[in-house]
Amino acid sequence: MDRITVWADIRCPWCWMGHRRLRAALERLGTAGREVTVVRRSFLLEPAGPDSLDRTVRGAALNSWGMSEAQWEATRSRVAEASRRKGLGIEMNEVLNVDSRPAHRLIKLAVSRGFDPEQVWDQLYTAHLERREDLTDPETLRRVGKGLGLTGGDVDALLGSDDFAAEVEDDHREAVAQGVGSIPAYVHAGQALSGARSVDELVEFLSGTGARR
């Protein structure tokens, strides 16, 4: 079995684009008779939660992360243009600055119930980055969970417990231990690649001809 491990945070627009690009890379390569398993792991861009009280990512970037208006606009524009090329609608000015741990716990619950991880991750990316929903709000999480096929009771039970919290933290700690410093990060055949990569780069990496951090 061919195994690919991916670390990502649903807060990260490049991770969503990487999610779609990896799919395209695998489709281009084909399985050639091999069974390919993609294991998706949680990474926390801010492990202790947002260090800014700003409601939006734009506000946090300008007021807490040290970015100028010009720097932010360049970043926003680059993300918007790259996302359009992948058929996505990411407008970072209005994306909310939230703690992603509840969303990661919801992902793990859905996957544990047998739902397709590819679709689960894609729907959470959509909710956060395209619909710009608040994935720390219980009602929003119930609605998103129902869209995945869970019940409101499933989500309420998750939110009323610590279920999957340790698994999310373990994913993040393992990434740090392996030297993951930027996401998305891919590990395949003992080699690692990280950051925003093109489909061509991912094909090269998965073929074993361009593996590097």
Side-chain angles (χ1 to χ4, degrees):
M1 181 184 296
D2 207 357
R3 179 186 175 103
I4 304 160
T5 303
V6 183
W7 272 278
D9 192 345
I10 59 94
R11 291 181 57 181
C12 169
W14 300 109
C15 290
W16 192 13
M17 287 180 264
H19 183 92
R20 295 291 183 92
R21 288 168 181 166
L22 178 59
R23 184 186 305 169
L26 291 171
E27 289 173 355
R28 184 185 299 180
L29 284 168
T31 61
R34 296 175 293 124
E35 184 178 353
V36 178
T37 299
V38 179
V39 179
R40 298 195 172 275
R41 308 286 296 276
S42 298
F43 188 91
L44 303 171
L45 286 171
E46 294 183 290
D51 62 3
S52 170
L53 296 179
D54 286 279
R55 180 65 173 165
T56 63
V57 174
R58 178 183 182 276
L62 297 178
N63 298 321
S64 300
W65 301 347
M67 296 181 71
S68 68
E69 286 277 6
Q71 289 170 326
W72 170 253
E73 178 55 29
T75 298
R76 185 212 62 78
S77 179
R78 187 161 64 97
V79 169
E81 179 57 33
S83 75
R84 277 195 294 271
R85 291 197 295 269
K86 297 305 298 179
L88 307 174
I90 304 176
E91 177 45 70
M92 292 301 294
N93 272 341
E94 299 174 14
V95 171
L96 298 179
N97 181 43
V98 297
D99 184 348
S100 61
R101 285 174 295 185
H104 283 291
R105 292 174 61 209
L106 183 64
I107 288 170
K108 289 192 176 294
L109 172 62
V111 172
S112 78
R113 297 291 177 85
F115 296 104
D116 180 7
E118 299 298 302
Q119 294 300 317
V120 171
W121 277 84
D122 204 69
Q123 289 190 52
L124 268 292
Y125 282 127
T126 300
H128 178 63
L129 293 166
E130 195 164 73
R131 296 202 302 267
R132 298 180 287 278
E133 296 183 312
D134 182 357
L135 294 183
T136 62
D137 176 67
E139 185 56 42
T140 299
L141 289 168
R142 288 188 200 99
R143 183 172 64 252
V144 173
K146 288 179 181 179
L148 297 173
L150 298 168
T151 68
D154 291 332
V155 178
D156 287 342
L158 177 74
L159 297 178
S161 71
D162 292 327
D163 291 352
F164 300 104
E167 288 88 339
V168 171
E169 299 293 340
D170 287 345
D171 278 1
H172 181 79
R173 278 194 294 268
E174 184 175 337
V176 173
Q178 292 201 24
V180 172
S182 61
I183 52 172
Y186 311 88
V187 175
H188 174 251
Q191 301 293 327
L193 187 74
S194 62
R197 302 287 180 164
S198 67
V199 173
D200 288 342
E201 287 176 306
L202 289 171
V203 167
E204 186 178 64
F205 172 68
L206 296 174
S207 300
T209 58
R212 64 183 186 276
R213 282 200 185 273

